[in-house]
Amino acid sequence: MKITREDVLRVAELAHLELSPEEVETYRGQLDEILTYIAKLEQLDVTSVEPMAQVLQPAAESHPELREDTPRPCAVADAILAQAPDARKPFFRVPKVIER
Amino acid sequence: MMAERSWTIAGVQDALRSKQVSARELATDFYSRIEKRNPELNAFLALSPERAFAQADRIDAAIAQGENLPLLAGVPIAIKDVISTKGVRTTCGSKILENYVPPYDATAVERLEAAGAVILGKTNCDEFAMGSSNENSAYGPVRNPVALDRVPGGSSGGSAAVVAAGLALASLGTDTGGSIRQPGACCGIPALMPTYGRVSRYGLIAFASSLDRIGPFATTVADAAAVMSVIAGRDENDSTSAPVPVPDYPSEIETRLDGLRIGVPEDYFGEGLDEEVREKVQSGIALLERLGCRRIPLHMPHTDYAIATYYIIATAEASSNLARYDGVRYGLRVPGGTLMEMYRRTREKGFGAEVKRRIVLGTYALSAGYYDAYYLRAQKVRSLIARDFADAFQKVDAIITPTAPTPAFRLGEKTADPLQMYLADIYTVTGSLAGVPGISVPCGKTREGLPVGLQIFGRHFEEGRVLQLAHAFEQAGGLTL
């Protein structure tokens, strides 16, 4: 693999991470090493293999996956807002997102 | 007060019933042990004495009334800091949740308390359970109580250390790629990863949702079985918890081993395995044979691909799960002129190096143009690894391997090289990917006195079998092999 600084910056932007220049260089090198190791998966022929989309085993799937759509009270709004860095009931406050 | 006594769950029950000790005295004793020992171990991040003593007093009142005691009455238990505890700070070992106090309890915690357990506090761990040494905690590493210059393993290093040091009788950890079993091996105590879906994850703060599981550490296999019988089973609040009946583990473990077929896969004994660990595990297998098991050689051809597969799937899921930490609803917020700036600064300041590394790797593996080459391919290889297990379980009842390739390593030994750190999980990630249960049980010590772990995998939902083998092994002297 050849991971460039631009690759790391592109990924950091996707993930909303503001990396320092040193971090970009560190992760570039480490990502390169890890992806080189991961490339060993290319040795396997997986053309006729289904991806594993479900971990729960058949024994566990004897029930319908959908539950009844019954509303239940969930009166935790105050407790949850109390954890917020900036809230004014009933809202979370954030920097302005709409320009006008 | 009391001399430092080694308790078991059954011992606590007897002592409470015969009034040799009260639940309050027991909790007081454990808190004084913690006060003495935690400064050097750094294994607890938060203590919950108010909650613990309120529970202890309820137990003592029940005893005074002559009521029947629930299974874990008065048993002091510690909880890994990625599991939510109402009113008790839960940080996930991260600065981003430094002041987070959950408004509700995880189902596993609720069930423990309903069974009488006394919750002592929260244990240190690698940040968001990402690590194999506990050195990725934002609150400093945990030290191994067996050898203070060594890591306790990770990510549930605190949960392993407190039980090994006698600061709690049992604890809950979480296992995504080996995070219960590997620290269990490093600290020399039984450590069980249940089947995927066996224990509710409601209230577990997510790392990699197709892999994460909650399970117990204890000082004996019988105690781990008792804790399992309390926390296992379907929970309406977790749609991934399985509606499979929960057997009575404490009685299942007493079954004899005669005629059980144990598979020994050559693939787990290759290059990279420490010579002393190999010898101990081979002696462990010989012990199981003397107990009546039949040894069957196995080949599990995709074992060597497990770490690569795991580090794509786990990081991809982590990058998605950790998107929620943005400074809006809980945890740290670093102000910024725009919403985007606030997100980025919050995440930059709040996450540690390993978490960022995994978010970068996972985001890369899921990004446009790379999805097929990485994530999809890894999900296919995961099917092949699961098939290795399914094929093996046609021929055998359990699979025996080393838990980790080496005993506990020194603090700082692997921090500079992430890939070397990842390889500490080489024997545990396979079972994580396949969804099967696995236990690490103590299997003697190296000449330096470092514990070795023997790992036992079972079929899906056969925790009873895994515990039965581990219990017989322990009773026959596995600990001092």
Side-chain angles (χ1 to χ4, degrees):
Chain A
M1 280 307 299
K2 267 202 278 322
I3 299 294
T4 62
R5 286 182 59 85
E6 286 64 41
D7 288 328
V8 177
L9 288 169
R10 179 181 63 90
V11 167
E13 190 179 342
L14 287 172
H16 293 320
L17 286 173
E18 188 175 279
L19 302 180
S20 68
E22 300 76 47
E23 281 179 312
V24 172
E25 189 42 42
T26 307
Y27 290 145
R28 193 204 60 73
Q30 290 174 340
L31 200 60
D32 204 72
E33 191 196 359
I34 294 165
L35 288 171
T36 302
Y37 176 81
I38 282 171
K40 69 155 66 182
L41 297 185
E42 289 163 21
Q43 298 163 3
L44 293 169
D45 179 6
V46 292
T47 39
S48 58
V49 182
E50 284 295 311
M52 188 161 156
Q54 175 59 272
V55 190
L56 278 181
Q57 287 305 295
E61 285 173 26
S62 54
H63 70 111
E65 285 302 323
L66 300 176
R67 59 173 166 75
E68 290 299 311
D69 187 12
T70 325
R72 283 182 299 166
C74 182
V76 294
D78 286 345
I80 285 170
L81 281 173
Q83 290 292 325
D86 188 5
R88 189 173 297 166
K89 200 176 169 182
F91 300 112
F92 298 109
R93 285 160 51 94
V94 295
K96 195 165 101 175
V97 285
I98 302 165
E99 297 297 333
R100 57 181 332 178
Chain B
M1 192 181 53
M2 285 168 274
E4 281 233 351
R5 170 171 168 185
S6 305
W7 292 97
T8 60
I9 291 175
V12 166
Q13 307 294 290
D14 288 345
L16 288 174
R17 262 192 232 103
S18 60
K19 304 206 161 87
Q20 290 169 42
V21 69
S22 70
R24 177 169 269 273
E25 284 168 339
L26 197 62
T28 307
D29 178 44
F30 273 84
Y31 276 123
S32 76
R33 296 180 186 200
I34 292 168
E35 199 179 320
K36 258 187 264 161
R37 199 76 203 282
N38 195 54
E40 66 176 359
L41 295 178
N42 195 31
F44 274 103
L45 291 179
L47 298 175
S48 48
E50 257 177 53
R51 186 171 173 161
F53 285 116
Q55 172 82 343
D57 290 347
R58 273 192 295 275
I59 301 293
D60 287 333
I63 294 167
Q65 296 290 315
E67 289 172 25
N68 280 335
L69 293 182
L71 187 61
L72 302 179
V75 175
I77 288 185
I79 308 291
K80 185 179 182 181
D81 209 31
V82 293
I83 301 173
S84 300
T85 41
K86 186 176 182 174
V88 182
R89 194 173 76 119
T90 299
T91 69
C92 294
S94 180
K95 287 287 177 203
I96 214 160
L97 287 178
E98 188 164 11
N99 299 309
Y100 178 63
V101 181
Y104 66 101
D105 275 326
T107 297
V109 172
E110 198 176 272
R111 288 184 179 177
L112 286 176
E113 264 191 345
V118 172
I119 308 294
L120 295 173
K122 307 301 291 286
T123 56
N124 202 348
C125 56
D126 285 300
E127 184 174 4
F128 287 104
M130 298 179 189
S132 308
S133 69
N134 219 121
E135 291 164 296
N136 296 330
S137 168
Y139 305 99
V142 174
R143 287 174 184 274
N144 191 323
V146 181
L148 292 173
D149 61 332
R150 305 267 169 171
V151 302
S155 65
S156 312
S159 286
V162 299
V163 172
L167 310 186
L169 204 42
S171 62
L172 292 186
T174 62
D175 195 314
T176 304
S179 283
I180 290 176
R181 293 159 289 159
Q182 186 256 12
C186 288
C187 293
I189 53 171
L192 174 71
M193 170 185 72
T195 309
Y196 185 83
R198 184 48 113 180
V199 176
S200 167
R201 300 182 295 177
Y202 181 68
L204 166 61
I205 298 174
F207 158 18
S209 305
S210 79
L211 296 155
D212 294 342
R213 310 184 209 171
I214 293 176
F217 293 92
T219 53
T220 65
V221 176
D223 281 2
V227 173
M228 259 309 281
S229 68
V230 168
I231 61 174
R234 169 76 180 168
D235 170 20
E236 288 305 317
N237 285 331
D238 175 6
S239 63
T240 65
S241 67
V244 177
V246 179
D248 179 23
Y249 298 119
S251 64
E252 280 212 346
I253 63 169
E254 300 298 342
T255 328
R256 291 176 57 88
L257 302 186
D258 297 315
L260 280 185
R261 299 163 301 170
I262 52 168
V264 180
E266 58 184 15
D267 321 83
Y268 286 72
F269 293 84
E271 204 188 324
L273 176 60
D274 177 271
E275 233 5 84
E276 278 194 89
V277 174
R278 181 197 309 273
E279 283 167 26
K280 288 293 168 190
V281 172
Q282 292 295 0
S283 313
I285 293 165
L287 174 60
L288 286 169
E289 286 185 277
R290 290 200 295 280
L291 291 168
C293 295
R294 199 144 56 83
R295 173 189 186 135
I296 294 176
L298 288 178
H299 174 42
M300 300 177 77
H302 301 98
T303 305
D304 192 37
Y305 299 95
I307 287 284
T309 304
Y310 173 82
Y311 276 95
I312 294 172
I313 293 171
T315 58
E317 293 183 13
S319 73
S320 169
N321 273 325
L322 271 58
R324 72 191 62 174
Y325 303 102
D326 56 10
V328 175
R329 289 151 299 163
Y330 32 68
L332 180 74
R333 170 184 291 195
V334 179
T338 65
L339 185 64
M340 284 300 165
E341 214 169 81
M342 182 191 91
Y343 288 164
R344 282 205 294 266
R345 289 182 183 172
T346 299
R347 291 162 66 78
E348 165 64 10
K349 184 137 193 290
F351 289 139
E354 179 63 24
V355 170
K356 285 187 219 167
R357 182 158 38 245
R358 294 200 194 191
I359 291 174
V360 166
L361 177 57
T363 305
Y364 182 84
L366 288 176
S367 64
Y370 296 96
Y371 179 88
D372 285 6
Y374 291 108
Y375 190 72
L376 187 63
R377 177 169 285 265
Q379 288 287 47
K380 290 181 172 185
V381 180
R382 185 175 188 178
S383 292
L384 295 174
I385 291 165
R387 199 184 295 165
D388 278 357
F389 277 87
D391 291 347
F393 285 129
Q394 298 286 320
K395 295 176 229 152
V396 301
D397 302 299
I399 296 169
I400 313 293
T401 77
T403 305
T406 66
F409 40 90
R410 286 193 173 76
L411 280 124
E413 192 176 323
K414 297 187 189 214
T415 40
D417 187 345
L419 190 55
Q420 278 311 307
M421 189 71 90
Y422 296 171
L423 292 171
D425 295 332
I426 192 163
Y427 305 138
T428 48
V429 287
T430 50
S432 302
L433 291 163
V436 299
I439 196 170
S440 178
V441 64
C443 180
K445 289 184 172 174
T446 64
R447 282 180 286 277
E448 264 189 277
L450 299 172
V452 172
L454 175 125
Q455 180 173 234
I456 306 170
F457 286 124
R459 296 187 188 95
H460 290 95
F461 298 102
E462 290 194 1
E463 287 82 3
R465 169 71 32 90
V466 163
L467 287 162
Q468 171 204 1
L469 278 155
H471 177 65
F473 183 78
E474 177 190 74
Q475 295 292 305
L479 183 62
T480 52
L481 263 183

